[in-house]
Amino acid sequence: LTWGVALVTLKVLPDYLGASSFGSYQVGDAWGYSLAVFLTLGVDTYISREIAVRPKHASDLFGGLLVARAVVLMPLALYTWFFWLPAQVEEVRVAGMLFSIGYVFTAMNQTFQQMLQAASKVSGLAIANVAGKILWGGGTLGLALARMPFWTLPLPYVVAEAAKLAVLYPSVKKAVDLEIRFD
């Protein structure tokens, strides 16, 4: 189902946007994704290995991870806005920043997914993934069919990833007794 939604959406977008605007859409998406690479901090492998053995360790890790991601994200976001994106068309600037916000949620969701898998409590994970893909694909298709401006197209992705976060966080909190601590 999720691949079907993605295939339909990615077939409609180039037809709706045309080659030039679809290229700009891809630039914004690629830029947001490149920022997300820095946000993973390689922690998901550690989570797979350590949380499976010591689920209570998730709380020790999580607060520091939030701080580390914020420390990494702020200079990257500032660089993006003031140095890289000003050279782009305004719509690409906005799309790039929206995709970046979406990929921040994606990085957190991947961490939560790893925690759930490590704790062997993945019941809500499949539902969150399918619902997120439907929100993204349906929202993007709806915006394209409504002929909305180019810069609005990343919004369904941001909303879908934020909704997944809202579903996954309580699941992780329950599965590993997660507390957000900064000690």
Side-chain angles (χ1 to χ4, degrees), residues 129-143:
N129 284 335
V130 170
K133 190 67 79 170
I134 290 171
L135 276 171
W136 166 74
T140 303
L141 282 173
L143 291 173

Side-chain angles (χ1 to χ4, degrees), residues 27-39 76 80 84 100 103:
V27 166
D29 185 27
W31 182 256
Y33 183 74
S34 67
L35 290 179
V37 168
F38 292 105
L39 292 178
L76 290 172
T80 298
W84 184 79
S100 296
Y103 279 116

Side-chain angles (χ1 to χ4, degrees), residues 1-9 126-134 136-137:
L1 178 64
T2 59
W3 280 106
V5 170
L7 286 172
V8 169
T9 302
I127 294 167
N129 284 335
V130 170
K133 190 67 79 170
I134 290 171
W136 166 74

Side-chain angles (χ1 to χ4, degrees), residues 17 30 113 123 156:
L17 292 172
Q113 289 174 20
S123 61

Side-chain angles (χ1 to χ4, degrees):
L1 178 64
T2 59
W3 280 106
V5 170
L7 286 172
V8 169
T9 302
L10 293 176
K11 167 64 178 116
V12 170
L13 276 179
D15 294 343
Y16 164 63
L17 292 172
S20 178
S21 290
F22 186 67
S24 295
Y25 177 86
Q26 295 286 33
V27 166
D29 185 27
W31 182 256
Y33 183 74
S34 67
L35 290 179
V37 168
F38 292 105
L39 292 178
T40 63
L41 302 174
V43 75
D44 291 342
T45 303
Y46 177 81
I47 288 170
S48 299
R49 192 177 61 236
E50 294 298 320
I51 303 304
V53 178
R54 301 180 300 151
K56 301 288 183 199
H57 179 54
S59 292
D60 300 334
L61 169 77
F62 194 68
L65 178 60
L66 288 177
V67 170
R69 283 184 171 162
V71 166
V72 168
L73 179 65
M74 292 315 295
L76 290 172
L78 291 171
Y79 172 80
T80 298
W81 190 253
F82 290 109
F83 296 105
W84 184 79
L85 287 176
Q88 302 298 316
V89 177
E90 188 63 28
E91 285 188 327
V92 175
R93 289 183 80 196
V94 173
M97 289 309 289
L98 288 172
F99 273 121
S100 296
I101 292 166
Y103 279 116
V104 168
F105 289 133
T106 298
M108 292 307 301
N109 287 336
Q110 287 173 340
T111 297
F112 286 152
Q113 289 174 20
Q114 285 300 121
M115 286 183 178
L116 288 170
Q117 288 173 349
S120 298
K121 310 269 188 194
V122 295
S123 61
L125 184 57
I127 294 167
N129 284 335
V130 170
K133 190 67 79 170
I134 290 171
L135 276 171
W136 166 74
T140 303
L141 282 173
L143 291 173
L145 293 173
R147 312 303 261 173
M148 296 302 290
F150 161 81
W151 68 268
T152 64
L153 294 176
L155 288 172
Y157 175 68
V158 175
V159 169
E161 290 299 314
K164 278 175 60 176
L165 185 73
V167 169
L168 292 177
Y169 176 72
S171 297
V172 171
K173 187 169 175 50
K174 181 179 177 185
V176 297
D177 195 27
L178 183 67
E179 296 177 25
I180 300 176
R181 300 190 314 246
F182 299 102
D183 50 322

